[in-house]
Structure formats: C-alpha cells, structure tokens
C-alpha cells in the first residue's frame, strides 16, 4: 500500500529558490528580434531549463524514496540550496560569461545527490539498497563526463557538458529494472510536481500583471489580462482537479511517466507565460506568435493527457471521442486564425475557452 508521505517545510523552501531560476529561463523567450524569437534563444531556453528541472528532480526523487526529516538530510538539502543559488545566479543566454558558476552550481547539486544515495544504501536492505547503490554509483558517470567540459572551449565544451547531463537524465530509464522494485510514493511525488507546477503558473500570473503595467490600464489591456487570467484558471482547474480527485495515488510504479512527462508540462507552461506577454506586445510576426501560442498549448495538452491517463482510475480515463474533441477545437481555432488575422485578445479568448472546455470535460 502506498502510504501518504508528508511534504516537509524544507522541501517547500527548496522549491522557492527555483522560482527565480524558472523566471530567468522563461525570460530568455522574451528576446524578440525582427518579428521572431530566434532559434538560438529557443534552444538556449531549453538548454537552461533542463538542468533546472533535473537538479530539482534529483533531490525530489531522493526525498521521495529515502528522505527523512532528520538532521543529516537537512544538511544535505541546505548545501543543495547553496549550489542552486549559484546556478540560478549564472543562468543567462550569455553561456560563456557565466559558464564556471553555472557548472559549479549544477555539478555541485548533482554530486550531493549522488553522495546521498551512497550514504543511505548501507542502511537499506534488499531492493532498496540495490536501487540506492545503482543511482549513487551510476550518477557519477554523467558528473565525470560533464566535468570534462572544463578542459575544452567553444562549442565542444557545451557538447560535453550536455552529453553528461543527457546520460544523467536517461540513466533511470536504463536502470528501470532496479527502480521498479523500489517504487516511488505516488502521493508524495504527484504533490511535489504539483507544487512545482504552481511555480510555473505563477509565471503566467506575472505575465498577466506585466500586460497591465506595460499598458497604463487601457480597456483593451484589461480585457486581454482578464482573458489571460481565465486561461490560467482553466489550467489550474484542469491540472489540480485531476491531481486531487482523478488519479490513483496508491499505484506502484517507477514514476517515470510523472517525471519525464512533467518536463514537457513545465516547458509548455513557461512558453505559455512568455506567449502572454509577446502576444500582447505585438512585437512578433502574426504567424510566428500564432504558431508559438498553439504549439505551447498543444504540448501542454499532450503531456498532461499522457500523465493523467497513466495514473487515472480506469473508470475515469478519457475516451478517444474526448481527445478528438479537444484536438478539433484547438485545430479549428488554429485554421481560422491562420487564414483570418484576428486581434490578440481573440486568440487569448480562444485559448481561455479551450482550457475551460478541457478542464470541464477532463474533470467530470
């Protein structure tokens, strides 16, 4: 039986430090130039976001399986917070200038996570000991490869750094045979990821406030901001109603659908937050911002559908007709807007309507 595990106050404080990191990553997408956000900045956004997500996931998964609110574990987390602060300070599209502090912050947090697994495995038994030993030893592969980047310059440095991060990220998938015998606490993990989702929703609220501040409170901006707020409420309703009432929190799994699916959820939420400001400011080419908005919403829809379908109670799972309806609404709006140039508040109204329908039908 999957007994409920309480989220500690230190975990909540740990999340707060990632607010600034997420905000800095999202702002990379606000670099509009000649009517577009260049591919360079889109790639930099993803490359900045993944280490943030994985550093947070690393500590969260350790706490989920082995964490206890005791002195030793608190010290590990406090040290992690120090490295997160360094990493957050160094997040910038100017990778070369801040490479060393970024490296220290990210690698420091990963080293501490690996050490935690090695320290805990001696006190565990059977599969729990094997899982801790596997993660504690194998995570050093990615750490060592990424550390080798210090000996190189230019693009080779980043290739090696992210090769190590990629190995680190996919290592739990490779070692699934160990992890399935030490399942995650589904209740705790869903709660932790939901709390991080709140951070991302906060970015959309900040973007909505930025709309009002940049417009001196005109009626058009108030309408746009109101529609953006309805959109955020629709996302909140759909996501948290599913978390609270529709999923089977006693399900015993390795949790990888939750973990990797939420990377796509978080990327989409950050992009939606940036899209709110960019759509209002009208600094981008109409067709570019249209594609950006709809792809962001589509990514959110697909990723949340996969996650909640996996963990929903069987009798509450959505039917194909529901999925066809959601995709039909989104696709219909996109085709209309593609051939008929509509004001920004109309696009925002369409997205708000989509999320209200998605929330209503997905939480019945």
């Amino acid at each position: 039986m999957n007994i409920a595990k309480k989220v500690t106050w230190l975990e909540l404080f740990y999340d707060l430090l990632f607010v600034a990191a997420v905000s800095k990553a999202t702002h990379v997408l606000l670099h509009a130039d000649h009517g577009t956000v260049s591919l360079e900045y889109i790639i930099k956004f993803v490359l900045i976001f993944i280490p943030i997500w994985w550093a947070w996931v690393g500590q969260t998964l350790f706490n989920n399986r082995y964490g206890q609110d005791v002195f030793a574990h608190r010290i590990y987390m406090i040290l992690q917070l120090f490295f997160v602060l360094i990493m957050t300070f160094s997040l910038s599209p100017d990778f070369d200038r801040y490479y060393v502090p970024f490296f220290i912050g990210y690698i420091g947090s990963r080293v501490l996570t690996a050490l935690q697994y090695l320290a805990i495995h001696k006190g565990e038994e059977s599969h729990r000991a094997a899982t801790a030993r596997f993660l504690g030893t194998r995570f050093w592969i990615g750490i060592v490869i990424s550390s080798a980047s210090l000996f190189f310059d230019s693009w080779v440095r980043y290739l090696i750094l992210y090769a190590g991060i990629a190995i680190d990220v996919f290592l739990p998938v490779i070692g699934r045979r160990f992890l399935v015998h030490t399942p995650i606490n589904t209740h705790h993990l869903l709660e932790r990821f939901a709390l991080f989702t709140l951070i991302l929703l906060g970015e959309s609220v900040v973007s909505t406030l930025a709309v009002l501040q940049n417009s001196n409170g005109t009626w058009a901006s108030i309408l746009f901001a109101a529609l953006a707020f309805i959109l955020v409420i629709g996302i909140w309703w759909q996501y948290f109603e599913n978390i609270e009432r529709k999923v089977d929190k006693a399900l015993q799994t390795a949790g990888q659908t939750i973990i990797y699916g939420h990377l796509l959820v978080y990327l989409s939420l950050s992009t939606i937050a940036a899209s709110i400001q960019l759509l209002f400011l009208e600094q981008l080419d109409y067709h570019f911002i249209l594609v950006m908005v709809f792809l962001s919403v589509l990514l959110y829809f697909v990723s949340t559908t996969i996650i909640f379908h996996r963990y929903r109670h069987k009798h509450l799972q959505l039917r194909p007709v529901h999925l066809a309806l959601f995709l039909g609404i989104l696709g219909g709006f996109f085709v209309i807007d593609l051939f008929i140039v509509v004001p920004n508040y109309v696009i925002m109204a369409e997205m708000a309507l989509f999320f209200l329908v998605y929330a209503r039908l997905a939480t019945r």
Side-chain angles (χ1 to χ4, degrees):
M1 184 177 180
N2 211 352
I3 301 173
K5 182 183 178 76
K6 182 181 178 182
V7 175
T8 67
W9 293 112
L10 187 54
E11 285 181 281
L12 296 176
F13 182 61
Y14 185 76
D15 290 353
L16 285 178
L17 268 70
F18 282 88
V19 173
V22 167
S23 179
K24 293 185 76 170
T26 301
H27 275 70
V28 172
L29 291 174
L30 299 180
H31 287 79
D33 185 33
H34 301 295
T36 66
V37 178
S38 68
L39 181 61
E40 175 189 356
Y41 279 102
I42 294 173
I43 293 174
K44 285 182 176 181
F45 161 69
V46 175
L47 293 180
I48 288 172
F49 200 97
I50 288 177
I52 296 172
W53 163 77
W54 190 240
W56 181 86
V57 165
Q59 185 60 42
T60 297
L61 286 176
F62 176 84
N63 287 335
N64 183 269
R65 284 192 171 96
Y66 301 101
Q68 302 175 40
D69 193 16
V70 296
F71 180 78
H73 288 190
R74 287 185 176 185
I75 295 300
Y76 271 112
M77 284 198 70
I78 290 170
L79 290 173
Q80 286 246 5
L81 291 174
F82 171 74
F83 286 109
V84 170
L85 281 173
I86 296 175
M87 183 175 68
T88 301
F89 151 75
S90 64
L91 295 176
S92 169
D94 186 358
F95 282 170
D96 289 329
R97 181 180 178 186
Y98 295 99
Y99 184 80
V100 173
F102 170 79
F103 174 85
I104 293 172
Y106 175 75
I107 293 298
S109 69
R110 296 305 297 151
V111 166
L112 284 171
T113 299
L115 290 175
Q116 281 181 288
Y117 281 113
L118 291 176
I120 201 70
H121 95 273
K122 296 179 181 179
E124 298 290 339
E125 298 179 353
S126 187
H127 294 302
R128 288 178 59 83
T131 296
R133 184 169 56 252
F134 172 80
L135 295 174
T137 55
R138 301 305 193 278
F139 277 145
W140 287 97
I141 298 173
I143 292 170
V144 170
I145 292 174
S146 291
S147 297
S149 67
L150 290 174
F151 300 100
F152 297 88
D153 293 316
S154 70
W155 63 270
V156 178
R157 165 187 286 181
Y158 300 103
L159 179 64
I160 295 173
L161 171 70
Y162 279 93
I165 293 175
I167 290 172
D168 214 34
V169 168
F170 288 106
L171 185 128
V173 177
I174 299 170
R176 184 178 172 81
R177 67 183 186 278
F178 291 97
L179 304 185
V180 294
H181 297 298
T182 314
I184 50 95
N185 186 298
T186 304
H187 183 279
H188 175 267
L189 196 66
L190 284 171
E191 186 174 4
R192 296 294 293 116
F193 275 88
L195 289 169
F196 201 82
T197 300
L198 276 179
I199 294 175
L200 272 298
L201 281 179
E203 280 299 303
S204 292
V205 174
V206 170
S207 292
T208 303
L209 292 173
V211 165
L212 294 174
Q213 291 172 347
N214 292 332
S215 63
N216 298 319
T218 63
W219 284 109
S221 66
I222 292 173
L223 173 62
F224 184 92
L227 292 169
F229 183 69
I230 293 172
L231 180 150
V232 174
I233 292 298
I235 296 174
W236 172 86
W237 182 12
Q238 176 274 329
Y239 183 93
F240 288 96
E241 185 74 6
N242 274 285
I243 287 287
E244 189 65 25
R245 302 178 183 275
K246 305 298 181 180
V247 298
D248 183 359
K249 296 177 183 177
L251 203 60
Q252 298 280 309
T253 72
Q256 292 179 350
T257 302
I258 297 174
I259 297 163
Y260 297 102
H262 270 86
L263 172 60
L264 302 181
V265 173
Y266 296 157
L267 286 171
S268 65
L269 286 174
S270 283
T271 310
I272 288 171
S275 297
I276 291 173
Q277 289 194 57
L278 292 171
L279 183 61
F280 177 78
L281 293 174
E282 297 183 322
Q283 296 177 345
L284 298 181
D285 174 76
Y286 174 79
H287 290 95
F288 181 90
I289 189 61
L290 189 68
V291 171
M292 182 176 178
V293 169
F294 277 85
L295 279 182
S296 301
V297 173
L298 179 62
L299 181 61
Y300 176 87
F301 167 71
V302 171
S303 54
T304 51
T305 297
I306 292 172
I307 293 169
F308 290 126
H309 180 79
R310 174 71 178 85
Y311 284 89
R312 269 175 172 256
H313 294 283
K314 295 295 182 182
H315 66 285
L316 295 175
Q317 290 181 346
L318 295 176
R319 299 191 297 272
V321 65
H322 291 124
L323 303 181
L325 175 62
F326 298 140
L327 290 174
I329 293 172
L330 201 58
F333 283 148
F334 179 72
V335 171
I336 292 171
D337 295 348
L338 193 62
F339 291 100
I340 302 174
V341 177
V342 298
N344 57 11
Y345 61 84
V346 172
I347 298 175
M348 189 55 58
E350 291 170 344
M351 296 303 96
L353 178 60
F354 169 79
F355 275 110
L356 290 178
V357 173
Y358 184 28
R360 180 69 184 95
L361 294 181
T363 57
R364 287 175 58 181

